[in-house]
Amino acid sequence: MEGLLFGAAIVAVAIVIGIIYVVVSESAKFFAQVSPIEFVTSTTWTPLFDNPQYGIAPLLTGTFMSTLVALAVAVPLGLLVAIYLSEFAGARTRETIKPTLELLAAVPTVVYGYFALLFVTPLLQSWLRPFGIELPSFNLLSAGLVMGLMIIPYIASLSEDAMRAVPRSMREGSYAMGATRLETAFRVVVPAAISGVVGAVILGMSRAIGETMIVVVAGGQLPQMVTHPAMQGATVTAFIAQVALGDLPFGTLEYNSIFAAGLALLVLTLLFNFVAFWLQRRYREAY
Amino acid sequence: MTATDIERERDITAHPKGLVTRKFKDRAFIVWGIVATIIGLGTLVTLVADLFGDGGHRLTAAFFGSFPSSEAAEAGILSAWVGSILVITTTALFAIPIGMLAGVYLEEYAPKNPLTSAIEIAVNNLAGVPSILFGLMAVGIFVQFLGNPNRWFAFLPESFRNAAADMFGQSILTAGITLSLLILPVIIVATREAVRGVPQEMRQGALAVGATKWQTTQHHVLPYALPGVVTGVIIGISRALGETAPLIMIGGLTFVAFLPITRPGDATFETIGVLDEYGAAVDPMATERVTIPHDGVVVLPDFTEQQVTAGQTLDLPHGSTVQSVATTGDAIASWSPTHWLGSEFTVMPIQMFNWTSRPQAEFLEIAAAAGLVLLAITLLMNGTAIYLRYRLRKAIKW
């Protein structure tokens, strides 16, 4: 029986090895034909054109821009909710709001894509028009905004857990010195829970980086250097999906370019996981 | 009076005013917290209202009972919901046992050694890996490697290779396995937490009366952990149900006008010869001798149709298509219980995505309708999980 249980557990390791193996070995075929230096330095990504260019930079700028917008929405809102629930709200309110908010993370992302394309974009277009900004109907701004709403529960829920783990005695000490709840929250609780809060933000960030369907549907699929959010752009994930939706045969250089893009994505996510892990260790305050 | 005394005096008089401001800020923050919460919850309400306004009127019985069509008014989600159920069933068959066993192993059996740490690191990291990377892995392993047994496993017996080629490739089995790998961390983590929550005395009691370790786990730990495990399973399955990206990678089809539970042969669409990217024959003069596999229609390159019957042998120019038309009778007669695993498929999220990416407003309406169905199912499942978790916390006091 123990052998069977072990066999089930080792599947997790097999998946990790499988992902790394496929992505790395197929990328190796790609890099046998395209120089890694071009991949990193070129600013044009046109693998499907007659004169193909393989610079990952446009896809990375797309990914960073949509992630940045998402974090600009989710970090303040998520932390406000977390502090409110942990320090101000009563137990009943917390027990109702927290799970309801978690439903936001359960909505299928393709539904969010629809929402971004057909609700948020028209809304933003009408808001921004008076300021002389013409928002294209595909743009990273609404994709990022909706992505931000999607990751609110990740940030709120995990930060709230971290804040609630701060011992009561620390709050009481602060109250005894005459501090208000707000001062206690910002000067005592948040600093004490900072490793958990940072971990939550990074988790939300890596969700945003890996999100595919919202940007495929609402972001446009035009790989260009993105300088501001009100632009069309392709993210790394959107490009991979776009190629898979077409019917390029497996094994061609064009098809293999998605594995190279996948490698960039894998490195990025593992890097963030690692940074989160390191930050948590570095700034951990154990009580 | 010294300078310090003046300073102190000023501080005391200033204090109440400072206190009022500080208390006001404290209260004001509550407003901000509530506003942020309302933005989150409001999104959910707006989302449902928007979908309902766009597509609510399309939710008719016919919508659930028709295949997709090039006419938005007649299109439905029959192949999509059947496909989703089949894919999810396959997913559950793999993910639930493997996830539960792995969770139990890590919590009850695993020795402290580097291998165990490797498993734990893998589980923790997998939860953060973008789903599209699971899709890339599936393309490499299940579609290309296991789906082309003639290329890689020429040494195996032919019947075995044919069976593998039938089952893997762009099939329901591939989709099910891929999604099960994706939700495995969710189920493992939920199982671990549930098992950890069972008090040590339960185990010691069982072990003291002579139960083996597995008997203890099976009869005493798992039953108490079950509600927690079920919660995790529901959340995992609901996530698999809404996943789109990895299935697009595998090659989930966007237009399926047959049910996978019948043999795909009942409604085939086969093109003769090699076509260029515009769908025209590369060599328009070439012909090919074809034996018609099934009653149906042949469409020649000039779009003239010709009725054909099974067994006929014809010389067809490149660019023709041989199409068979399935009747319900054919479908039932040829039904085979395992064939659906190897069948091509579509699922609800892919169907919705396909309709969303079309420019015509009528298709956007049915996209919204499909989205409503999808949203209703996932929210219902998550709601159930939340309720279970709540009941669990209230009911069990160790």
Side-chain angles (χ1 to χ4, degrees):
Chain A
M1 200 62 220
E2 199 174 334
L4 188 67
L5 294 171
F6 175 73
I10 205 77
V11 168
V13 180
I15 303 170
V16 173
I17 295 174
I19 291 177
I20 295 177
Y21 174 77
V22 169
V23 170
V24 170
S25 69
E26 297 296 326
S27 306
K29 292 177 195 161
F30 173 82
F31 286 120
Q33 293 178 61
V34 176
S35 97
I37 296 165
E38 184 197 337
F39 187 71
V40 177
T41 56
S42 165
T43 55
T44 324
W45 179 266
T46 51
L48 308 180
F49 286 12
D50 281 342
N51 178 24
Q53 299 240 9
Y54 300 94
I56 191 78
L59 299 183
L60 288 182
T61 57
T63 295
F64 282 133
M65 189 54 76
S66 53
T67 306
L68 214 62
V69 175
L71 288 180
V73 174
V75 171
L77 288 178
L79 291 185
L80 274 178
V81 172
I83 294 174
Y84 168 67
L85 288 183
S86 135
E87 303 302 310
F88 292 84
R92 255 192 109 116
T93 322
R94 183 171 53 238
E95 293 300 309
T96 327
I97 289 180
K98 214 176 153 187
T100 318
L101 213 54
E102 274 169 21
L103 288 178
L104 270 178
V107 173
T109 54
V110 63
V111 175
Y112 272 130
Y114 177 94
F115 185 65
L117 179 68
L118 295 159
F119 185 83
V120 177
T121 297
L123 194 69
L124 288 179
Q125 277 174 331
S126 66
W127 283 353
L128 291 176
R129 199 160 293 132
F131 299 99
I133 304 169
E134 272 306 319
L135 196 65
S137 46
F138 292 105
N139 62 80
L140 291 175
L141 182 62
S142 37
L145 264 173
V146 173
M147 233 149 71
L149 294 169
M150 177 183 82
I151 60 176
I152 286 178
Y154 290 96
I155 295 183
S157 199
L158 288 177
S159 323
E160 200 259 350
D161 287 343
M163 289 176 199
R164 297 242 295 146
V166 173
R168 200 165 174 77
S169 56
M170 290 185 64
R171 289 190 186 84
E172 279 162 358
S174 169
Y175 295 145
M177 299 298 287
T180 63
R181 285 177 297 181
L182 184 66
E183 288 158 354
T184 308
F186 276 100
R187 299 202 187 145
V188 177
V189 179
V190 172
I194 197 72
S195 71
V197 172
V198 170
V201 170
I202 292 189
L203 180 81
M205 191 151 128
S206 83
R207 266 244 100 89
I209 290 173
E211 172 46 40
T212 311
M213 295 319 290
I214 299 178
V215 274
V216 168
V217 173
Q221 293 165 12
L222 184 70
Q224 56 177 348
M225 293 300 279
V226 177
T227 48
H228 61 87
M231 270 175 92
Q232 274 200 57
T235 61
V236 179
T237 51
F239 169 74
I240 298 175
Q242 184 198 356
V243 169
L245 283 166
D247 38 31
L248 287 168
F250 182 85
T252 55
L253 182 63
E254 290 89 344
Y255 195 90
N256 278 343
S257 67
I258 68 175
F259 288 98
L263 183 66
L265 190 63
L266 185 67
V267 170
L268 221 55
T269 9
L270 289 185
L271 195 72
F272 279 115
N273 276 358
F274 177 76
V275 169
F277 182 71
W278 180 80
L279 277 175
Q280 276 181 336
R281 279 249 298 246
R282 175 82 174 68
Y283 293 102
R284 180 173 204 95
E285 303 208 13
Y287 303 105
Chain B
M1 259 175 137
T2 64
T4 342
D5 288 341
I6 296 173
E7 187 82 348
R8 204 170 283 159
E9 190 114 316
R10 197 176 293 151
D11 193 39
I12 290 166
T13 45
H15 192 89
K17 195 183 159 213
L19 194 63
V20 169
T21 329
R22 286 165 57 211
K23 285 210 159 157
F24 174 74
K25 280 186 185 163
D26 191 68
R27 299 257 165 70
F29 186 84
I30 299 183
V31 178
W32 283 107
I34 291 174
V35 166
T37 312
I38 287 175
I39 291 178
L41 300 181
T43 305
L44 213 55
V45 176
T46 317
L47 182 68
V48 175
D50 178 45
L51 286 174
F52 201 83
D54 287 356
H57 63 284
R58 289 301 309 267
L59 287 176
T60 57
F63 184 64
F64 290 89
S66 340
F67 286 115
S69 156
S70 50
E71 293 291 322
E74 291 162 14
I77 53 171
L78 179 60
S79 46
W81 69 256
V82 173
S84 269
I85 289 178
L86 295 175
V87 169
I88 288 303
T89 310
T90 319
T91 305
L93 286 177
F94 282 96
I96 297 174
I98 298 180
M100 278 180 68
L101 292 179
V104 168
Y105 175 79
L106 287 175
E107 213 50 45
E108 299 281 310
Y109 285 83
K112 262 204 161 42
N113 61 21
L115 193 58
T116 305
S117 332
I119 297 174
E120 292 195 346
I121 293 173
V123 172
N124 293 338
N125 267 297
L126 274 179
V129 170
S131 62
I132 199 158
L133 289 178
F134 284 85
L136 281 179
M137 178 196 64
V139 169
I141 293 181
F142 302 122
V143 178
Q144 294 302 327
F145 186 61
L146 295 176
N148 288 324
N150 291 331
R151 191 159 141 213
W152 305 102
F153 302 106
F155 55 90
L156 290 174
E158 198 183 340
S159 59
F160 194 83
R161 274 183 277 143
N162 287 344
D166 276 349
M167 299 287 262
F168 288 100
Q170 307 186 332
S171 67
I172 290 181
L173 181 66
T174 300
I177 296 179
T178 309
L179 291 183
S180 71
L181 301 183
L182 185 72
I183 64 170
L184 208 53
V186 179
I187 298 182
I188 294 179
V189 170
T191 306
R192 289 190 71 170
E193 277 176 12
V195 167
R196 203 181 303 148
V198 178
Q200 208 57 35
E201 291 81 0
M202 305 285 299
R203 297 181 184 81
Q204 286 160 352
L207 291 171
V209 293
T212 63
K213 184 146 197 176
W214 174 243
Q215 284 168 336
T216 309
T217 311
Q218 193 189 354
H219 299 302
H220 301 278
V221 178
L222 275 181
Y224 289 103
L226 205 58
V229 177
V230 171
T231 311
V233 166
I234 295 177
I235 289 175
I237 294 286
S238 113
R239 173 153 179 225
L241 201 65
E243 261 316 325
T244 322
L247 298 185
I248 286 179
M249 300 306 302
I250 296 168
L253 300 175
T254 46
F255 189 92
V256 175
F258 60 85
L259 288 184
I261 43 175
T262 62
R263 279 178 201 267
D266 293 331
T268 54
F269 184 95
E270 193 196 346
T271 312
I272 309 298
V274 184
L275 304 188
D276 66 16
E277 59 206 285
Y278 305 106
V282 172
D283 180 3
M285 289 297 141
T287 59
E288 208 166 292
R289 174 151 296 192
V290 180
T291 307
I292 306 296
H294 203 283
D295 290 0
V297 203
V298 167
V299 182
L300 298 171
D302 58 357
F303 297 111
T304 51
E305 289 185 12
Q306 189 185 332
Q307 297 290 329
V308 289
T309 50
Q312 262 182 309
T313 308
L314 298 169
D315 286 315
L316 295 174
H318 279 190
S320 323
T321 56
V322 181
Q323 302 176 21
S324 65
V325 182
T327 63
T328 315
D330 290 336
I332 294 168
S334 68
W335 189 77
S336 115
T338 52
H339 208 102
W340 57 269
L341 275 178
S343 171
E344 292 181 304
F345 65 96
T346 191
V347 289
M348 291 287 299
I350 292 187
Q351 188 68 68
M352 180 186 176
F353 168 65
N354 176 253
W355 284 332
T356 308
S357 44
R358 297 197 193 194
Q360 302 94 326
E362 307 88 73
F363 279 105
L364 296 179
E365 283 178 12
I366 52 177
L372 267 180
V373 177
L374 205 53
L375 197 61
I377 299 172
T378 41
L379 292 188
L380 199 70
M381 289 179 83
N382 278 274
T384 314
I386 290 168
Y387 177 72
L388 267 177
R389 201 163 53 190
Y390 172 75
R391 280 288 301 269
L392 195 66
R393 224 181 289 166
K394 275 189 86 169
I396 300 183
K397 295 264 191 304
W398 299 107

